[in-house]
Amino acid sequence: AQKITQTQPGMFVQEKEAVTLDCTYDTSDPSYGLFWYKQPSSGEMIFLIYQGSYDQQNATEGRYSLNFQKARKSANLVISASQLGDSAMYFCAMRPSNSNSGYALNFGKGTSLLVTP
Amino acid sequence: ETGVTQTPRHLVMGMTNKKSLKCEQHLGHNAMYWYKQSAKKPLELMFVYSLEERVENNSVPSRFSPECPNSSHLFLHLHTLQPEDSALYLCASSHRTGSSYEQYFGPGTRLTVT
């Protein structure tokens, strides 16, 4: 069984500062994918960034980067230069590679991020 | 315009009603998903369709009945729901193979059961 843990229910950050959202996971699968999604108050889940378990480098997408530490089983999201529009719920998710199904995602409980002026 | 659309966006129904949620994806994907998001709980996977075949059903009560007539459309038929079924229902799609393919979500249907 897989488990995703996000220990920060809520986070505050000042505009233009960087913030790290924590995510740890537990899996026995040797190959898996890790994802971060953003959910604004409107409800839509927006894909942010992906990290494969065998990727040698940490993933980056614009202001988003993933601090992947495989031995510690952590995949923290770093948002640089925070903007007011970054205020939202952030979900960490994982999916194994060996599933014969549609590769459903397993989500954490989420972290609520509030960016203040 | 998002690649995954859902209708209706909001739905209020009584426990004896029958309604359907619709999802459509315009991304050429061949896997589609229904998730339920209740307050203060992680997203719960309900159903997975891969190449129009249901491949996963996470012990969902029979009052929820999915239908996938083709790779672009997914429905969730609802009947005799309970108040605890009130939640945000999210549809998603992805390519079938490979763990690297992200899922794209629709805006969700906010369901309230009275």
Side-chain angles (χ1 to χ4, degrees):
Chain A
Q2 302 168 352
K3 185 177 179 181
I4 300 288
T5 302
Q6 294 180 253
T7 58
Q8 307 153 313
M11 290 282 287
F12 291 90
V13 65
Q14 199 161 17
E15 195 176 9
K16 300 180 183 178
E17 297 293 312
V19 63
T20 298
L21 307 183
D22 294 341
C23 173
T24 58
Y25 59 92
D26 187 19
T27 182
S28 57
D29 294 303
S31 179
Y32 48 88
L34 294 157
F35 303 78
W36 277 92
Y37 283 83
K38 170 185 178 182
Q39 187 178 39
S41 57
S42 60
E44 183 176 357
M45 296 284 281
I46 302 168
F47 166 72
L48 296 178
I49 195 167
Y50 163 81
Q51 178 83 46
S53 59
Y54 290 116
D55 292 346
Q56 295 297 314
Q57 292 185 322
N58 287 344
T60 59
E61 286 287 348
R63 294 187 298 111
Y64 304 109
S65 61
L66 203 152
N67 184 2
F68 180 48
Q69 298 187 45
K70 192 171 182 178
R72 294 186 177 183
K73 292 188 175 179
S74 74
N76 299 339
L77 177 70
V78 180
I79 305 174
S80 62
S82 298
Q83 301 172 357
L84 296 178
D86 293 335
S87 295
M89 284 291 292
Y90 288 81
F91 292 92
C92 180
M94 180 171 65
R95 185 172 66 199
S97 295
N98 60 357
S99 171
N100 291 320
S101 72
Y103 301 97
L105 291 168
N106 185 23
F107 284 84
K109 291 185 177 182
T111 295
S112 177
L113 176 66
L114 181 62
V115 181
T116 59
Chain B
E1 175 70 35
T2 179
V4 182
T5 58
Q6 287 186 245
T7 54
R9 294 292 309 274
H10 300 272
L11 178 62
V12 179
M13 59 185 290
M15 289 191 285
T16 59
N17 292 155
K18 289 184 179 181
K19 297 287 184 183
S20 295
L21 310 184
K22 179 183 177 181
C23 175
E24 184 173 0
Q25 60 96 0
H26 312 272
L27 301 169
H29 291 160
N30 45 28
M32 296 187 77
Y33 312 77
W34 279 117
Y35 288 88
K36 175 184 178 182
Q37 187 177 28
S38 305
K40 300 183 179 180
K41 292 177 71 175
L43 268 75
E44 302 171 67
L45 177 69
M46 299 177 73
F47 301 104
V48 181
Y49 276 83
S50 179
L51 296 173
E52 301 155 40
E53 178 184 353
R54 189 191 310 179
V55 295
E56 195 159 336
N57 177 346
N58 273 8
S59 303
V60 178
S62 59
R63 56 186 183 269
F64 294 91
S65 174
E67 178 189 3
C68 188
N70 55 61
S71 61
S72 298
H73 293 85
L74 184 65
F75 295 89
L76 188 62
H77 303 300
L78 317 171
H79 66 97
T80 60
L81 294 190
Q82 303 298 311
E84 60 265 29
D85 297 323
S86 298
L88 180 67
Y89 289 84
L90 290 162
C91 172
S93 71
S94 74
H95 291 288
R96 177 175 178 266
T97 58
S99 68
S100 62
Y101 288 107
E102 61 270 21
Q103 293 180 14
Y104 290 89
F105 284 79
T109 295
R110 178 77 61 185
L111 173 67
T112 303
V113 181
T114 60

